[in-house]
Amino acid sequence: MRYMHQCFRALCCKGPPPPRPEYDLVCIGLSGSGKTSLLSQLCSESPENIVSTTGFSIKAVPFQNAILNVKELGGADNIRKYWSRYYQGSQGVIFVLDSASSEDDLETARNELHSALQHPQLCTLPFLILANHQDKPAARSVQEIKKYFELEPLARGKRWILKPCSLDDMEAVKDSFSLLINLLEERDFEPSRM
């Protein structure tokens, strides 16, 4: 009888849905990589109002199974040296790179990603690396980016995802973020290590 009562309550007496988990993320990448545009599109903001981030901004990006509180840091030369001051409390990292950028910018992006992957506050966190601007003719493939950025040896043992993206295919961007959410959820269920 007690079992039937529990089943009846589960079917008929549902309360409000459980709250979605929230994750605090940091989003980094060079100026012009498309961080602001991608995050604004994910938040359904009008593309006409997008202004490049000069310091930092915070956006709550809603997904069906989680809310991502994304702290986007500006990517200009004079701001990048302060990135590490904003890492504390992050549960994951989004790194956006312009896959169609110049060799010099790609080298700078590579160095910044390497620094982030090795930073004490970020090195154990899941990374979503977005190779943006795939719609441009000069865009490098994900395989080229993976090789150039030396991700296999550098990120061995770390949890990272490298995905192509562009504003023309926001479904692919959402799918990439869903993969990151999966990594964040897995991290929640890991037994704590002493």
Side-chain angles (χ1 to χ4, degrees):
M1 182 69 169
R2 185 174 154 192
Y3 175 73
M4 281 181 31
H5 184 259
Q6 287 174 334
C7 287
F8 178 77
R9 283 188 55 79
L11 291 172
C12 299
C13 303
K14 287 189 173 184
R20 290 180 282 182
E22 292 191 31
Y23 298 103
D24 295 327
L25 306 176
V26 65
C27 180
I28 54 179
L30 303 187
S31 287
S33 61
K35 300 178 301 292
T36 305
S37 297
L38 287 170
L39 292 173
S40 295
Q41 288 279 2
L42 286 170
C43 292
S44 302
E45 294 175 2
S46 172
E48 293 87 47
N49 301 331
I50 295 174
V51 179
S52 189
T53 303
T54 52
F56 76 93
S57 71
I58 299 174
K59 289 190 185 301
V61 185
F63 286 89
Q64 188 171 350
N65 56 340
I67 296 172
L68 304 180
N69 297 312
V70 181
K71 191 180 336 175
E72 178 199 350
L73 307 181
D77 292 346
N78 60 339
I79 295 174
R80 288 196 306 266
K81 61 186 172 191
Y82 299 109
W83 279 358
S84 61
R85 295 182 182 191
Y86 295 91
Y87 291 165
Q88 188 170 0
S90 296
Q91 296 169 285
V93 181
I94 303 158
F95 189 92
V96 182
L97 63 98
D98 179 356
S99 59
S101 67
S102 69
E103 290 295 324
D104 287 347
D105 283 349
L106 204 62
E107 178 67 24
T108 303
R110 178 182 159 209
N111 293 337
E112 294 295 348
L113 178 59
H114 283 207
S115 293
L117 281 164
Q118 296 169 343
H119 192 279
Q121 289 179 313
L122 303 181
C123 64
T124 61
L125 303 180
F127 272 71
L128 171 59
I129 304 162
L130 295 172
N132 197 15
H133 299 151
Q134 287 292 308
D135 53 328
K136 293 184 179 177
R140 292 157 186 90
S141 71
V142 168
Q143 288 304 86
E144 290 172 299
I145 298 281
K146 186 188 290 187
K147 184 176 180 181
Y148 183 80
F149 277 64
E150 300 172 323
L151 285 173
E152 291 291 345
L154 179 70
R156 184 173 289 123
K158 301 180 188 311
R159 292 170 305 151
W160 57 274
I161 302 161
L162 171 62
K163 289 291 184 183
C165 74
S166 74
L167 289 175
D168 292 345
D169 188 1
M170 286 308 291
E171 283 308 308
V173 174
K174 290 175 185 175
D175 290 344
S176 299
F177 273 81
S178 292
L179 292 172
L180 177 61
I181 291 169
N182 290 343
L183 288 180
L184 292 164
E185 289 171 343
E186 287 172 15
R187 186 177 165 89
D188 277 353
F189 292 113
E190 283 180 2
S192 59
R193 296 185 189 135
M194 300 283 239

